[in-house]
C-alpha cells in the first residue's frame, strides 16, 4: 500500500504580496503561486486518495481557524481543510487566493495552526507530514520565546517543515536583496532559526521556482510479478532438485505519457442549465458546476449478419452468438471453443533453470524486454544463502543462467536470461526475456568496407565506398564532437556532458508540464518547455565552433554538392531554381514556346506548354487541348484499351493545375466528362471508366488539396458517389 501523506501549504496573501518587487512584471503573490500550483497540480495528477492537502491563508481580512479566539491567531484562515484535492477544488482555490487589504497576521502562529490541523487529522496514524510556508517576511511576528517549544513539537510529530521566502537572502544561490527593511530582515532571521531548530528546509523562492523545471522522478512501490520457487534439476524428483524460494520484481519500466480520454459537454451545462448540477459530493456549488460540464464518451457496439429475409438485408445479433474466426490469407477460419482449448498449453507457475551460457557467447541484441530483479524470499535465511551461492557461482564462472518461467497458471511460458549482480548492500539476479526460434529473423546486408561484383570480384575502391581520406576526415570530426569529456563535474574536472541521470524524455515531461499548466491557467498560452528538456536537442555551441574546420575538411573529402530544393509548386511570378552550372538548357537548344499539343505526345508537350507560359489564357488553352485529346481517346477506345492512357493524362493535368493554382480548370473538365459519360456521348456506355477515375483518386480538387479551390471536401466526395454513375 502506498504511503499516506498530509501536506499543508501556508500562503501569505497580505497586502504587501500585491507589489511587483525587484523588477518583476507580476506581483509577489502571483510569482509565489507558480511554485504552489506546481506542487499542488503534481499531487492532483496522481489521483491518489492517500495524498491529502490542506491550504492556510496568512494575513487574511477575516479569521477562520479553530484557534481564532486568541489574538495571536487572528487573520489566519483555513481555505481548504486536509483532504484529497481534485480539479474542481483546485479551481475553487484559485478564486479564494487573492491579495487581502491587510498585513496583519503572524507566520509563526500560522505554523502552529497547521500543526494543530495535522495532529487532528492524522491522530496517531502513520503519515508523511509536511508543512510548506510561502511568505515575503513582511509584517510583525512574535518574539522567539516559544520557538523552542514549537520546534520540539514539530520534531516530536515527525513533521517536515519547509520555509520559502520571496527575495530571502541566500549567499550560496547568489540572492541578496538590497535595501531590505529592518522588520523583514528580523522576520527572515526568526524563520531561519525555527527551520534550523527542527531540521527543516529554509531557502529563497527564486531557487525553488527555477528548480521546478527539473522533472520529478516518480518513485513507485514494486509489485512482484512472480513469487514461488526457483528450481534446478528435475522438479518431480525433490531429492535431486535445488529449490530456492524467490520473488521477482520489475527493475525498469517504460514510462509513458498520460493518455487522453474522450469527453463531451453536457447539453444542459452548455446552455447554463443549473438543473444538471449535483452537489452531493462537493461542498461548493460552483465546484459542482465545473464537475458536471463534461461527461465521458461511452462506446456501444452492435453486430450485424447478412439475412436476406430481413428488411434491410441484415439483422443484429448478440456478441455471444458470434463464432471466433482467425484470418488465414483472405479467409476467415472458424475454430470452436472445444477445438481452441486443445491448442492452449496448460501451464503451472514455476521458474526452472534449463541451461547455462558463457557471458562472451551472449549477444545483447537478444534482449526482448525490460529487466526484472530476482531476490530471495524475505525473512528466509536458507533461501538467501542458497540464492547467494548461485549468484556467486555464476559471477565466478562468467556465466548466465537460462530459465523457463510461467508467472501464473495458464500463462504462456517465457524463456529468460538471468545474470548475476553483486552490490555492496545486496545481491540479486537480473533477467530479461529471450526470443524463441520463431522470433528470430535473419537478414544479410552487404559489407560497408568493400564491394562484391556480380562476377564475385572484390573491390576496395569504388565511388560508393569511402576513401581513406574520407575515413580520416570523419574520424577527426567525430573526435572534435566528442561529448564524453566535454562536461565538468563538481570538482571542475572533465566529465561526460550528457550524463544518463541528467537526461529526461522531453515528450513525457512536456505533456505533464502542459497538463498541469492548463489545469490552473485555462486561457493563457502554454509556456515554453523547460530548458533542461531542450538542453540536449542541439549540440553545444562551443563544440560546434571548435569543430568547424574539421567539418569543412569532411565536406571537401566527401565532395558534397548542394542539391537544389524540389519545387513543390510553380506559382506565377516565382523565381525558378537556376542550374548550378548557370546554363539554361532551353535557351541553348533554342526551343520556341509551344502553341499546339499533339495526341501522339500529349503529356510531354502539355508540360512544355505550361513551363513556357505564365499567361492564364494560355494555361486555359493548353487545358482545353488536353481535354479534347482525352475525350477523343475515350471515345475512340476499343473497350477499355484507351482508358489507361486517358487516366495517365488526367493525372498529369490534375497535378499541373494544382501546382499552377488553377484547380477550377480541372474541376470544369471533370464535370463535363461526368455529363458526357452519363449521356453516353463518348462512344456508347463508358460508365465503367468512372470506377477507374475513383480508384485512381482523380476526383474534384477540393479546398483541402488547393487553397484556391472553392469545392468543399464533402462536395468532392459526393461528386464521386453520384447514383447516376453506379453500374447497373
Amino acid at each position: 500500500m502506498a504511503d499516506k501523506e498530509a501536506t499543508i501549504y501556508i500562503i501569505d496573501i497580505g497586502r504587501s504580496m500585491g507589489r511587483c518587487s525587484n523588477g518583476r512584471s507580476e506581483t509577489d503573490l502571483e510569482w509565489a503561486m507558480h511554485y504552489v500550483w506546481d506542487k499542488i497540480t503534481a499531487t492532483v495528477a496522481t489521483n491518489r486518495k492517500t495524498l491529502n492537502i490542506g491550504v492556510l491563508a496568512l494575513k487574511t481580512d477575516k479569521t477562520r481557524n479553530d484557534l481564532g479566539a486568541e489574538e495571536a491567531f487572528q487573520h489566519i484562515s483555513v481555505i481548504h481543510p486536509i483532504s484529497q484535492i481534485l480539479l474542481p477544488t483546485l479551481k475553487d482555490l484559485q478564486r479564494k487566493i487573492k491579495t487581502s487589504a491587510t498585513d496583519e497576521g503572524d507566520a509563526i502562529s500560522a505554523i502552529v495552526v497547521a500543526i494543530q490541523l495535522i495532529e487532528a487529522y492524522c491522530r496517531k496514524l502513520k503519515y508523511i507530514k509536511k508543512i510548506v510556508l510561502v511568505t515575503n517576511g513582511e509584517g510583525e511576528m512574535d518574539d522567539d520565546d516559544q520557538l523552542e517549544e514549537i520546534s520540539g513539537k514539530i520534531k516530536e510529530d515527525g513533521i517536515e517543515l519547509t520555509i520559502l521566502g520571496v527575495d530571502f537572502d541566500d549567499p550560496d544561490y547568489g540572492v541578496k536583496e538590497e535595501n531590505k527593511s529592518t522588520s523583514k530582515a528580523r522576520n527572515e532571521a526568526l524563520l531561519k532559526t525555527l527551520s534550523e531548530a527542527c531540521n527543516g528546509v529554509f531557502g529563497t523562492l527564486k531557487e525553488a521556482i527555477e528548480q521546478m523545471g527539473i522533472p520529478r522522478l516518480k518513485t513507485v512501490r514494486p509489485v512482484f510479478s512472480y513469487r514461488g520457487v526457483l528450481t534446478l534439476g528435475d522438479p518431480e524428483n525433490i531429492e535431486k532438485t535445488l529449490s530456492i524460494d524467490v520473488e521477482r520484481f520489475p527493475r525498469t519500466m517504460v514510462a509513458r505519457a498520460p493518455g487522453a480520454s474522450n469527453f463531451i459537454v453536457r447539453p444542459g451545462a452548455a446552455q447554463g442549465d443549473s438543473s444538471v448540477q449535483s452537489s452531493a459530493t462537493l461542498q461548493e456549488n460552483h465546484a459542482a458546476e465545473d464537475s458536471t460540464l463534461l461527461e465521458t464518451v461511452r462506446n456501444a457496439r452492435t453486430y450485424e449478419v447478412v439475412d436476406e429475409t430481413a428488411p434491410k438485408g441484415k439483422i443484429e445479433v448478440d456478441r455471444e452468438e458470434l463464432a471466433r474466426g482467425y484470418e488465414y490469407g483472405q479467409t476467415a477460419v472458424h475454430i470452436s471453443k472445444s477445438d481452441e482449448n486443445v491448442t492452449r498449453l496448460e501451464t503451472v507457475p514455476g521458474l526452472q533453470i534449463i541451461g547455462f551460457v558463457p557471458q562472451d557467447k551472449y549477444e545483447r541484441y537478444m534482449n526482448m524486454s525490460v529487466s526484472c530483479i530476482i531476490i530471495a524470499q524475505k525473512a528466509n535465511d536458507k533461501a538467501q544463502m542458497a540464492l547467494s551461492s548461485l549468484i556467486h557461482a555464476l559471477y565466478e564462472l562468467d556465466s548466465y543462467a537460462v530459465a523457463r518461467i510461467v508467472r501464473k497458471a495458464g500463462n504462456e511460458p517465457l524463456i529468460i536470461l538471468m545474470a548475476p549482480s553483486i552490490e555492496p548492500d545486496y545481491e540479486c539476479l537480473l533477467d530479461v526475456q529471450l526470443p524463441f526460434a520463431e522470433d528470430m529473423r535473419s537478414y544479410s546486408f552487404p559489407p560497408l568496407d568493400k564491394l562484391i561484383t556480380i562476377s564475385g570480384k572484390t573491390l576496395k575502391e569504388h565511388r560508393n565506398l569511402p576513401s581513406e581520406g574520407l575515413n580520416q576526415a570523419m574520424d577527426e570530426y567525430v573526435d572534435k564532437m566528442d561529448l564524453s569529456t566535454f562536461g565538468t563535474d563538481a570538482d571542475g574536472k572533465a566529465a561526460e556532458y550528457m550524463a544518463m541521470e541528467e537526461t529526461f524524455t522531453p515528450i513525457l515531461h512536456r505533456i505533464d508540464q502542459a497538463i498541469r499548466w492548463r489545469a490552473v491557467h485555462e486561457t493563457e498560452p502554454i509556456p515554453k518547455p523547460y530548458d533542461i528538456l531542450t538542453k540536449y536537442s542541439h549540440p553545444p555551441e562551443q563544440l560546434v565552433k571548435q569543430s568547424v574546420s574539421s567539418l569543412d575538411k569532411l565536406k571537401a573529402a566527401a565532395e558534397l554538392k548542394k542539391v537544389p530544393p524540389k519545387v513543390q509548386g510553380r506559382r506565377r511570378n516565382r523565381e525558378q531554381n537556376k542550374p548550378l552550372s548557370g546554363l539554361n538548357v532551353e535557351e541553348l537548344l533554342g526551343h520556341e514556346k509551344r502553341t499546339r499539343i499533339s495526341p501522339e505526345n500529349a503529356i510531354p508537350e502539355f508540360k512544355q506548354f505550361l513551363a513556357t507560359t505564365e499567361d492564364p489564357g494560355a494555361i486555359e488553352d493548353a487545358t482545353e487541348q488536353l481535354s479534347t485529346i482525352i475525350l477523343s481517346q475515350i471515345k475512340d477506345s476499343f473497350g477499355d484499351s484507351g482508358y489507361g492512357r486517358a487516366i495517365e493524362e488526367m493525372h498529369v493535368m490534375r497535378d499541373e493545375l494544382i501546382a499552377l493554382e488553377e484547380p477550377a480548370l480541372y474541376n470544369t473538365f471533370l464535370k463535363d466528362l461526368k455529363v458526357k459519360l452519363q449521356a453516353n456521348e463518348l462512344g456508347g456506355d463508358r460508365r465503367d471508366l468512372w470506377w477507374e477515375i475513383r480508384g485512381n483518386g482523380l476526383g474534384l480538387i477540393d479546398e483541402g488539396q488547393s487553397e484556391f479551390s472553392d469545392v468543399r471536401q464533402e462536395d468532392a466526395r459526393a461528386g464521386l458517389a453520384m447514383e447516376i454513375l453506379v453500374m447497373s
Side-chain angles (χ1 to χ4, degrees):
M1 182 178 178
D3 294 330
K4 295 183 289 185
E5 295 185 14
T7 304
I8 290 186
Y9 291 92
I10 305 174
I11 306 171
D12 187 344
I13 63 171
R15 180 178 56 195
S16 59
M17 289 289 285
R19 298 194 303 251
C20 298
S21 306
N22 293 321
R24 290 187 291 267
S25 60
E26 52 189 352
T27 65
D28 292 349
L29 179 60
E30 293 172 342
W31 188 56
M33 288 309 297
H34 287 307
Y35 171 81
V36 177
W37 290 135
D38 182 77
K39 292 295 183 181
I40 293 179
T41 52
T43 303
V44 173
T46 62
N47 198 27
R48 282 175 49 188
K49 295 182 179 180
T50 55
L51 299 183
N52 300 285
I53 291 178
V55 181
L56 280 177
L58 172 63
K59 301 177 184 177
T60 57
D61 295 324
K62 298 180 180 180
T63 302
R64 293 190 181 92
N65 68 81
D66 293 341
L67 305 177
E70 301 181 30
E71 183 180 356
F73 301 100
Q74 294 292 310
H75 301 286
I76 300 173
S77 299
V78 179
I79 58 177
H80 179 73
I82 301 177
S83 64
Q84 182 189 13
I85 287 187
L86 299 176
L87 186 58
T89 315
L90 191 65
K91 297 184 181 301
D92 182 43
L93 285 175
Q94 286 183 270
R95 288 185 281 264
K96 292 181 178 179
I97 299 178
K98 305 291 183 183
T99 52
S100 66
T102 181
D103 274 332
E104 298 289 334
D106 188 351
I108 304 293
S109 299
I111 294 176
V112 175
V113 174
I115 296 173
Q116 182 263 336
L117 289 174
I118 288 179
E119 188 175 25
Y121 181 82
C122 301
R123 301 188 297 275
K124 299 298 181 180
L125 301 177
K126 184 179 179 181
Y127 272 85
I128 297 176
K129 308 165 189 176
K130 299 179 182 179
I131 295 177
V132 180
L133 169 63
V134 180
T135 179
N136 63 355
E138 300 287 355
E140 294 296 329
M141 293 187 191
D142 290 340
D143 294 334
D144 54 355
D145 297 340
Q146 297 181 337
L147 286 187
E148 184 176 352
E149 182 181 352
I150 295 172
S151 62
K153 179 64 175 177
I154 291 175
K155 290 192 290 186
E156 178 185 347
D157 292 349
I159 299 175
E160 302 174 17
L161 176 63
T162 301
I163 300 177
L164 298 174
V166 178
D167 299 324
F168 277 13
D169 294 343
D170 189 344
D172 296 336
Y173 199 71
V175 177
K176 175 70 175 177
E177 185 181 16
E178 302 295 337
N179 302 320
K180 182 176 296 187
S181 64
T182 305
S183 62
K184 180 173 181 178
R186 174 183 171 277
N187 294 337
E188 186 176 331
L190 195 65
L191 292 173
K192 186 175 182 179
T193 302
L194 174 62
S195 175
E196 293 175 348
C198 60
N199 301 321
V201 177
F202 180 88
T204 183
L205 189 63
K206 181 180 179 181
E207 180 181 4
I209 291 178
E210 290 181 356
Q211 289 184 352
M212 283 166 40
I214 301 177
R216 300 173 179 84
L217 301 181
K218 184 179 180 181
T219 302
V220 296
R221 185 180 293 272
V223 179
F224 66 87
S225 58
Y226 172 78
R227 178 180 289 173
V229 180
L230 169 64
T231 61
L232 174 60
D234 186 4
E236 297 181 358
N237 191 344
I238 301 178
E239 296 180 355
K240 297 182 180 180
T241 301
L242 172 65
S243 299
I244 307 173
D245 294 322
V246 297
E247 296 176 344
R248 182 173 182 255
F249 297 90
R251 176 66 176 264
T252 57
M253 296 292 290
V254 178
R256 304 187 186 280
S261 301
N262 293 326
F263 291 88
I264 59 172
V265 178
R266 286 177 179 256
Q271 300 172 5
D273 186 1
S274 60
S275 64
V276 300
Q277 298 179 6
S278 173
S279 58
T281 58
L282 297 170
Q283 297 178 352
E284 302 290 343
N285 289 335
H286 43 258
E289 293 175 7
D290 290 336
S291 66
T292 57
L293 290 178
L294 300 177
E295 184 175 356
T296 306
V297 176
R298 298 176 178 84
N299 296 324
R301 293 185 179 181
T302 59
Y303 298 89
E304 296 181 343
V305 296
V306 177
D307 187 350
E308 297 179 356
T309 61
K312 296 183 179 180
K314 293 182 179 180
I315 59 172
E316 291 187 9
V317 296
D318 295 333
R319 190 175 187 275
E320 290 73 17
E321 300 180 30
L322 299 176
R324 185 183 295 272
Y326 297 87
E327 291 186 5
Y328 184 73
Q330 296 183 351
T331 307
V333 179
H334 164 250
I335 298 180
S336 62
K337 290 186 178 180
S338 58
D339 293 337
E340 191 173 1
N341 291 333
V342 177
T343 64
R344 291 181 178 176
L345 181 64
E346 296 182 2
T347 57
V348 294
L351 176 59
Q352 300 93 30
I353 296 177
I354 59 177
F356 300 92
V357 58
Q359 291 185 9
D360 56 354
K361 299 296 183 182
Y362 179 73
E363 301 292 346
R364 294 290 295 271
Y365 66 81
M366 304 281 281
N367 296 359
M368 288 189 61
S369 67
V370 296
S371 59
C372 294
I373 183 173
I374 298 176
I375 60 175
Q377 191 179 68
K378 298 178 182 178
N380 189 334
D381 296 338
K382 182 180 179 180
Q384 292 174 1
M385 182 64 69
L387 185 63
S388 177
S389 300
L390 176 61
I391 292 171
H392 279 269
L394 292 173
Y395 181 80
E396 293 173 4
L397 296 175
D398 293 331
S399 299
Y400 297 142
V402 180
R404 175 185 184 270
I405 184 172
V406 177
R407 296 186 300 172
K408 296 181 181 179
N411 283 13
E412 295 181 356
L414 301 175
I415 302 299
I416 62 174
L417 181 85
M418 300 188 299
S421 176
I422 301 177
E423 301 292 339
D425 52 347
Y426 72 94
E427 300 172 347
C428 66
L429 289 172
L430 302 178
D431 73 82
V432 292
Q433 182 182 342
L434 293 178
F436 290 99
E438 295 82 359
D439 299 321
M440 298 298 296
R441 299 290 185 272
S442 299
Y443 298 96
S444 298
F445 296 95
L448 299 177
D449 58 344
K450 58 184 177 181
L451 190 66
I452 301 176
T453 63
I454 298 176
S455 61
K457 184 179 179 181
T458 301
L459 302 178
K460 291 291 186 178
E461 295 183 1
H462 190 269
R463 60 185 179 86
N464 292 335
L465 295 177
S467 63
E468 185 65 25
L470 180 58
N471 285 330
Q472 293 178 358
M474 178 59 75
D475 289 341
E476 180 182 347
Y477 179 66
V478 171
D479 292 339
K480 289 286 187 179
M481 292 293 292
D482 185 13
L483 296 174
S484 60
T485 58
F486 185 73
T488 55
D489 58 13
D491 299 329
K493 298 181 181 179
E496 185 179 0
Y497 172 73
M498 193 174 174
M500 182 65 68
E501 57 272 11
E502 298 177 359
T503 308
F504 305 93
T505 168
I507 296 178
L508 177 67
H509 298 291
R510 173 59 173 163
I511 293 177
D512 178 66
Q513 175 195 5
I515 293 174
R516 289 188 285 109
W517 177 270
R518 182 57 71 230
V520 179
H521 310 86
E522 294 185 348
T523 58
E524 297 182 20
I526 297 176
K528 295 180 179 180
Y530 295 127
D531 293 339
I532 196 169
L533 298 181
T534 59
K535 178 180 179 180
Y536 302 116
S537 60
H538 302 285
E541 186 176 351
Q542 180 181 349
L543 204 61
V544 173
K545 289 182 179 179
Q546 72 183 30
S547 61
V548 170
S549 60
S550 300
L551 181 58
D552 293 338
K553 293 179 182 178
L554 179 60
K555 291 179 179 179
E559 298 180 355
L560 295 183
K561 296 180 181 179
K562 186 177 180 180
V563 178
K566 184 178 179 181
V567 180
Q568 298 295 331
R570 294 199 303 273
R571 297 175 183 265
R572 295 189 200 92
N573 301 324
R574 177 180 176 179
E575 184 179 354
Q576 297 294 317
N577 292 321
K578 297 181 179 180
L580 294 177
S581 63
L583 301 178
N584 191 318
V585 178
E586 294 292 334
E587 294 179 358
L588 292 176
L589 297 178
H591 286 176
E592 298 180 356
K593 290 189 177 182
R594 185 172 296 279
T595 58
R596 303 301 303 171
I597 301 175
S598 63
E600 294 78 12
N601 197 28
I603 292 178
E605 293 181 3
F606 178 70
K607 291 183 176 181
Q608 292 174 5
F609 197 129
L610 298 181
T612 57
T613 183
E614 296 179 356
D615 180 24
I619 296 174
E620 183 177 358
D621 179 37
T623 304
E624 290 180 357
Q625 292 187 48
L626 185 59
S627 302
T628 303
I629 293 173
I630 293 174
L631 295 175
S632 176
Q633 290 172 345
I634 297 173
K635 185 175 181 179
D636 298 338
S637 173
F638 182 74
D640 59 356
S641 61
Y643 291 177
R645 191 171 180 181
I647 291 294
E648 184 180 1
E649 291 166 349
M650 289 178 63
H651 260 299
V652 174
M653 179 193 294
R654 194 176 192 272
D655 294 341
E656 292 292 322
L657 293 179
I658 289 177
L660 288 169
E661 303 168 355
E662 293 287 354
L665 296 178
Y666 176 82
N667 291 341
T668 301
F669 159 73
L670 189 63
K671 293 175 182 178
D672 180 60
L673 174 61
K674 180 179 63 176
V675 172
K676 293 182 182 298
L677 290 174
Q678 170 192 352
N680 297 334
E681 296 179 0
L682 299 177
D685 188 357
R686 300 283 187 181
R687 288 180 294 176
D688 55 338
L689 174 63
W690 189 254
W691 297 103
E692 295 195 29
I693 293 175
R694 293 182 57 181
N696 284 274
L698 297 175
L700 297 174
I701 301 173
D702 57 48
E703 57 190 5
Q705 298 168 322
S706 173
E707 59 180 318
F708 298 92
S709 174
D710 57 358
V711 178
R712 298 183 302 173
Q713 294 182 0
E714 51 268 27
D715 294 337
R717 287 193 295 268
L720 286 174
M722 294 189 65
E723 297 180 359
I724 196 168
L725 293 175
V726 175
M727 297 293 295
S728 58

